[in-house]
Amino acid sequence: MRHLMSPLDFTPEELDKLFDLANDIENNPAKYAHACDGKILATCFYEPSTRTRLSFESAMIRLGGRVIGFSDAASSSASKGESVSDTIRIISCYADICAMRHPKEGAPMVAGEKSGIPVINAGDGGHQHPTQTLTDLLTIRSLKGSLGGFTIGLCGDLKFGRTAHSLINALVRYDNIRFIFISPEELRCPDYIIEMLKKKGISYSEVIRLEDVMPELDLLYMTRVQKERFFNEEDYIRLKDFYILDTAKMGLAKEDMLVLHPLPRVNEISVEVDADPRAAYFRQAQYGVYVRMALILTLLELA
Ligand code: CP
């Protein structure tokens, strides 16, 4: 039995196979419409979500399976003090596979140790968000044609942003990637990531102004300043609108640059940018369904 806790749980070769499967699902949905007949997915979300939970549910339903779960810790027995370990033992009696989001780093891993079914980390605190990373990689591979040889700017909250951390960790395995980290001083990429890049000899730079680097980018990965990760509301208010991507800034970018965002957005991408053909974040959300369908099939050994 196999879980997914980090995007690094799959080798680049296994990821290629997963993305091939996702693209096949995209092009031939009818072929997979009954692939999970009789199977049940449990979505155990201790933290809010729109995309991750609903795309998992959509993925399982599109594969012919069914879905159970909770979308809020308060409506589960966690509110009575039940541990994640006990909860997953119970869920293992009811479902064939579980996607779990939790505000505590490592909680899905603890669940995986006690689980009788595959557990997918659907986001744990500020740590990892592996299925968002699979979504991001599939989007880049599908729209850019490959997963190497580009300069990617990651902009916004690089301190707490688990989607950024997961994506950086995954991209370092591909050739000729150059990172440009764009953040205010207070939200810089954590030292452990910078140390990892130095150790691997991977090119990176850190800047504060987005405008200064726009012309260099092949991909711009925008992130939200996350209110829920701040201890101090004053700091959040001071930093929340530090970056706003608008049409003027898009005018500085390459004609084939793509803008990605894990979403939800607040103000960091002006809605006027949505009409720009380089805005790929809604297409990215669609790829999230295909890759989660491919992941469910793979972990259930039905692919
Ligand atoms: N991208 C993402 O994780 O969105 P949700 O928080 O809505 O699931």
Side-chain angles (χ1 to χ4, degrees), residues 45 48-53 101 129 132 162-163 262-264:
F45 276 58
S49 167
T50 296
R51 270 146 298 276
T52 311
R53 186 171 66 82
R101 172 171 287 188
H129 192 345
Q132 181 63 50
R162 62 188 173 200
T163 58
L263 304 177

Side-chain angles (χ1 to χ4, degrees), residues 62-81:
R62 283 167 195 271
L63 291 167
R66 294 178 188 213
V67 179
I68 57 172
F70 53 86
S71 58
D72 176 6
S75 66
S76 79
S77 285
S79 63
K80 302 174 203 160

Side-chain angles (χ1 to χ4, degrees), residues 45 47-55 101 122-123 129 131-132 135-136 162-163 221 224 226 228 261-264 284-285 292:
F45 276 58
E47 204 184 45
S49 167
T50 296
R51 270 146 298 276
T52 311
R53 186 171 66 82
L54 297 183
S55 65
R101 172 171 287 188
H129 192 345
T131 63
Q132 181 63 50
T135 301
D136 300 340
R162 62 188 173 200
T163 58
Y221 195 87
R224 174 175 63 96
Q226 303 171 92
E228 64 273 29
H261 190 313
L263 304 177
Q284 185 182 357
R292 289 182 175 101

Side-chain angles (χ1 to χ4, degrees), residues 104-155:
K104 277 200 188 131
E105 284 85 357
M109 200 172 291
V110 170
E113 282 165 11
K114 300 288 182 198
S115 180
I117 59 175
V119 176
I120 300 166
N121 177 4
D124 61 327
H127 184 219
Q128 297 269 358
H129 192 345
T131 63
Q132 181 63 50
T133 302
L134 299 184
T135 301
D136 300 340
L137 295 178
L138 175 65
T139 306
I140 296 169
R141 199 186 82 146
S142 301
L143 299 182
K144 280 280 182 199
S146 78
L147 281 169
F150 51 72
T151 297
I152 179 165
L154 292 104
C155 177

